Every structure is written in C-alpha cells, then in structure tokens.
C-alpha cells in the first residue's frame, strides 16, 4: 500500500460528498469523486430556467427534515452546525399543507440557492485539501490488478477500457446502478461472496420509488396571483392519481423573483409512464392538466422542464447490517489472501435506518469513511 493511498468515491451526491469530506479531514489519503452526470448533487438536484440561472426549482429533495435524535450524534451535529453557520441551511418558515408521513417529525430546513448548493459546499469546504471531482465519468466494471505495491482496483469504463487504478473504492450509487457496476468482473465476485452469499439477492429485492418532477417557470407578473392564491409553500394533494406534491418553490426557499412551481408525480403514475415509454411531452401535458384541476387560478408558465426519477426513494432500507454500520464492506472469497486486497465498500441511504433522508446519507457516508480509513490503517480489506 502506498504512503498516500488513492481512494475513488463513485457518485458525487450527498453520501459521496460526506464520505470524501470525512476522509480528507482525517488526512493521509487522496480522494477523487467520479460522477456519471454532468453536475454534482445526485438526488439533491436543481432544475434551472434556461433564461436565468438564478431562477430554479428543487426537483429532487425538497427540504431537509432533521431526523429525531441525530442532534446528539457528533458527526450529524457537526454537519448541521457547519451548514447552518455558513448560511447554506435556514429554517423553513412557510406552511406545509397536507400529510407528509414519509418525512416524519423534526425541524425542516431549506437552502436559498437550491439543495445542489449544499453538496457543492460540502465538497468545496473540505480542509486542508479538496477532492478532485470528475463529471461525466461512468464506471462499468471493477477488477483487481497486481502492482509492485500490492493489489489495486482497476476501474474500467465503456468497452472495458481502463480509466484508472485506486487503492480503495466506495460505491455510493443507489443499488440499481451499483448492481450494474458489480454485474461482472472481480467486483461482482466480491459482491457474491459477501454476507454469506445473500447480498446480491438482498440488493435486487430493494424497492425504489419512481416518479416525474415537473418544473414550471413563470413571468414576474405572476407573483401577485401566487400571493393571492397560494397560502402554502408546499402542498400534498389527497387522492390524486397523478400528482402527490406541489411546491411554490421560490416561496419555499424564501427568495424573491419570478414564481417557480415544482410538481412531483405519484409513484404509480411514474411507473406506468416509464414502463410504457410514454413521451415526455405527453407526461408534461397530463401533469399540467392535473395541476390546473388542483389550482384553477394558475397562469400559463413561460417554460417547463421534466426530470425522470427512475430511482427516487428507497421504500424499505436494508438496515441492521453487521457492525451496526450504514455501509457494506465487500469481501473476497474465503480462499483469497485477504491481507493483500484493497477495500471495496457500498454506501447508500438504502443502508441506513433513516432511509432516503438527509441523515440517511450522512450516516452512510460517515460510516463508509470510517470503515475504509480503519481498513487502510490496518493494511486489510474492509
């Protein structure tokens, strides 16, 4: 193992940012993040109005609800304290109309610049060094390779071209994407040897919600209409087959400017549309009609944007893992020489008792960093 191990974090969402932040603050490692998309944030995503980059919606996570009891956990307390101190998180003051059982109780926070900015700040505020972030880099396979310093992970892209080699890897993508990366090669054999050989089946059994996110952007003149008719910042309609959530997004974030509205579809509607391959324009039309039935006063938007969330929220997390960690260290088969093999760790909100919430990602990222650093210090796989 080299004096300064190189660690690859696959996925530049919240879990990956937390893991990278913790490792770099500990020191003694070089950290790179590779993200398949062309922006960081993962499911903390903003959609931006093409005519003005300052006009946006939170099209993924809508607001952050602090889970009960996490204020007593030092790592969570530290993250919240720093984000609040930097002005990234502010209390949500507007009214939420309707039920939100998935959120649970707790204090709600928003980010005035959109929740993508939270992930960006976490990546940029690491000290003494920042992780190297590469966007648009897709990982297809992980294989072991022998070097004079010991085994490393050979990271391969499309057509199995070698992209780079690392002394440790943390996969933070949701389980469907992680399973694609671990469908063949040495990474796949490690997955099949882990948790008594049952891990692949457990990951395949995880259920993720699928939905559409429709962003509506309005002219400044529509401000008065919204102020007169929308006495909420977030609304959960009841018994609607198409839409389950509406956010008067700029009001939710307590910023001025032209109104923006974010609409989430129901999961059954999302699954139907994606399974049947319904065209985006048809989805936009049907979702907008459903919104108008709910909000007959709604003016015509200047522009719309549709994002497809094939993987949104985990339905039932795979918690209660060995060691009480919200991550899964993969193992080679019993016949392999364990002491000379590099760590490979799965991290995701799907492995946390908090599920697909901010604190689920924080817990998994923190745990993955701790497990990996401990493994590197001992010269053993995690």
């Amino acid at each position: 193992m080299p004096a300064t191990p190189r660690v690859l974090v696959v996925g530049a969402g919240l879990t990956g940012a937390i893991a990278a932040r913790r490792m770099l603050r500990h020191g003694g490692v070089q950290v790179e993040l590779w993200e398949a998309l062309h922006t960081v944030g993962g499911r903390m995503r903003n959609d931006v109005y093409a005519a003005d980059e300052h006009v946006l919606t939170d099209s993924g996570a809508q607001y952050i609800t602090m889970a009960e009891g996490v204020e007593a956990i030092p790592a969570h307390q530290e993250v919240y304290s720093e984000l609040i101190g930097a002005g990234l998180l502010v209390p949500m003051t507007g009214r939420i109309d309707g039920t939100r059982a998935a959120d649970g109780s707790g204090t709600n926070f928003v980010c005035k610049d959109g929740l993508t900015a939270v992930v960006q700040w976490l990546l940029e505020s690491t000290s003494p060094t920042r992780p190297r972030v590469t966007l648009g880099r897709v990982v297809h396979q992980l294989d072991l390779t022998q070097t004079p310093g010991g085994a490393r992970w050979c990271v391969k892209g499309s057509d199995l071209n070698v992209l780079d080699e690392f002394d440790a890897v943390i996969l933070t993508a949701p389980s469907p994407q992680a399973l694609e990366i671990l469908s063949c090669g040495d990474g796949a054999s490690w997955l099949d040897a882990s948790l008594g050989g049952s891990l692949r089946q457990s990951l395949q059994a995880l259920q993720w919600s699928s939905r559409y996110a429709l962003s509506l952007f309005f002219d400044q003149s529509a401000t008065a209409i919204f102020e007169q008719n929308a006495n909420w910042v977030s609304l959960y309609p009841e018994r609607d087959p198409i839409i389950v959530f509406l956010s008067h997004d700029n009001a939710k974030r307590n910023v001025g400017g032209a109104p923006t509205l974010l609409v989430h579809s129901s999961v059954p509607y999302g699954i139907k549309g994606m399974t049947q391959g319904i065209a985006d324009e048809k989805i936009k039309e049907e979702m907008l009609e459903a919104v108008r039935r709910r909000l007959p006063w709604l003016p015509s938007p200047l522009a719309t944007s549709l994002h497809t969330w094939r993987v949104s929220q985990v339905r039932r997390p795979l918690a209660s893992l060995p060691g009480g960690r919200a991550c899964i260290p993969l193992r080679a088969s019993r016949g392999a020489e364990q002491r000379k093999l590099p760590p490979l760790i799965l991290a995701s909100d799907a492995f946390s008792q908090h599920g697909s919430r901010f604190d689920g990602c924080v817990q998994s990222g923190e745990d993955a960093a701790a497990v990996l650093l401990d493994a590197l210090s001992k010269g053993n796989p995690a």
Side-chain angles (χ1 to χ4, degrees):
M1 191 69 69
T4 307
R6 296 183 68 215
V7 179
L8 173 64
V9 177
V10 180
L14 178 58
T15 303
I18 291 292
R21 171 181 177 272
R22 178 57 61 199
M23 287 186 289
L24 288 172
R25 288 194 169 184
H26 180 276
V29 293
Q30 299 177 30
V31 180
E32 294 193 26
L33 281 91
W34 289 3
E35 170 57 52
L37 302 178
H38 292 278
T39 182
V40 303
R43 283 165 285 160
M44 296 182 74
R45 172 190 169 90
N46 299 137
D47 273 3
V48 179
Y49 178 38
D52 187 345
E53 63 180 9
H54 298 293
V55 178
L56 54 85
T57 62
D58 284 313
S59 58
Q62 288 297 302
Y63 46 85
I64 292 169
T65 303
M66 181 186 292
E68 294 181 8
V70 298
E71 64 274 7
I73 302 174
H76 291 248
Q77 185 183 59
E78 179 184 282
V79 172
Y80 279 107
S81 178
E82 292 188 8
L83 289 171
I84 293 170
L88 267 294
L89 291 185
V90 297
M92 182 176 174
T93 58
R95 187 169 73 88
I96 299 174
D97 191 355
T99 59
R100 49 190 182 93
D103 295 334
S105 59
T107 304
N108 297 321
F109 295 93
V110 294
C111 179
K112 290 181 178 294
D113 296 325
L115 287 172
T116 298
V118 170
V119 177
Q120 291 173 331
W121 187 88
L122 288 169
L123 290 171
E124 294 171 359
S125 65
T126 55
S127 178
T129 59
R130 296 180 183 178
R132 178 182 176 185
V133 180
T134 302
L135 302 177
R137 181 70 60 85
V138 180
V139 176
H140 286 269
Q141 187 171 317
L142 299 173
D143 283 314
L144 290 169
T145 184
Q146 293 294 329
T147 70
R152 307 180 88 191
W153 284 111
C154 179
V155 185
K156 298 179 179 180
S158 60
D159 300 324
L160 298 184
N161 56 308
V162 177
L163 301 175
D164 209 335
E165 296 178 0
F166 293 88
D167 301 296
V169 175
I170 298 177
L171 295 180
T172 69
S175 57
Q177 288 95 327
L179 284 168
E180 289 182 9
I181 295 172
L182 300 175
S183 63
C184 53
D186 291 322
S189 67
W190 280 39
L191 177 64
D192 291 329
S194 299
L195 294 189
S198 65
L199 181 54
R200 184 182 296 276
Q201 184 177 2
S202 295
L203 295 180
Q204 290 171 337
L206 284 173
Q207 295 182 356
W208 295 80
S209 60
S210 301
R211 67 179 78 250
Y212 295 103
L214 177 64
S215 297
L216 306 177
F217 303 99
F218 298 88
D219 186 82
Q220 182 72 50
S221 61
T223 300
I225 299 175
F226 273 83
E227 290 178 348
Q228 292 168 6
N229 293 278
N231 60 354
W232 42 264
V233 297
S234 294
L235 169 64
Y236 290 82
E238 295 183 0
R239 296 182 295 277
D240 193 304
I242 294 180
I243 58 174
V244 297
F245 177 81
L246 296 166
S247 173
H248 181 189
D249 203 79
N250 63 311
K252 177 198 72 181
R253 292 179 286 111
N254 198 23
V255 296
T260 58
L261 188 71
L262 187 283
V263 188
H264 276 167
S265 78
S266 69
V267 172
Y269 180 81
I271 292 174
K272 176 184 175 182
M274 294 174 210
T275 302
Q276 297 182 2
I278 299 175
D280 285 356
E281 288 305 315
K282 179 65 173 178
I283 297 296
K284 285 184 182 180
E285 177 184 330
E286 291 181 348
M287 288 185 67
L288 187 54
E289 287 179 358
V291 175
R292 290 193 184 283
R293 286 194 294 270
R294 181 69 54 172
L295 310 176
W297 50 265
L298 193 73
S300 296
L302 288 175
T304 63
S305 175
L306 185 72
H307 185 78
T308 301
W309 288 109
R310 295 187 179 275
V311 177
S312 178
Q313 294 172 300
V314 67
R315 305 297 289 272
R316 294 181 182 85
L318 184 64
S320 302
L321 294 167
R325 299 284 193 177
C327 64
I328 305 177
L330 300 189
R331 309 284 187 179
S333 61
R334 289 184 178 182
E337 181 58 44
Q338 299 282 334
R339 290 176 58 83
K340 298 180 180 179
L341 296 178
L344 174 59
I345 299 173
L346 300 185
S348 167
D349 48 304
F351 308 139
S352 168
Q353 60 182 327
H354 302 299
S356 294
R357 299 175 60 170
F358 184 84
D359 291 293
C361 295
V362 171
Q363 182 187 19
S364 187
E366 290 281 351
D367 285 356
V371 170
L372 187 140
L373 290 169
D374 181 64
L376 291 178
S377 70
K378 296 176 179 176
N380 294 325

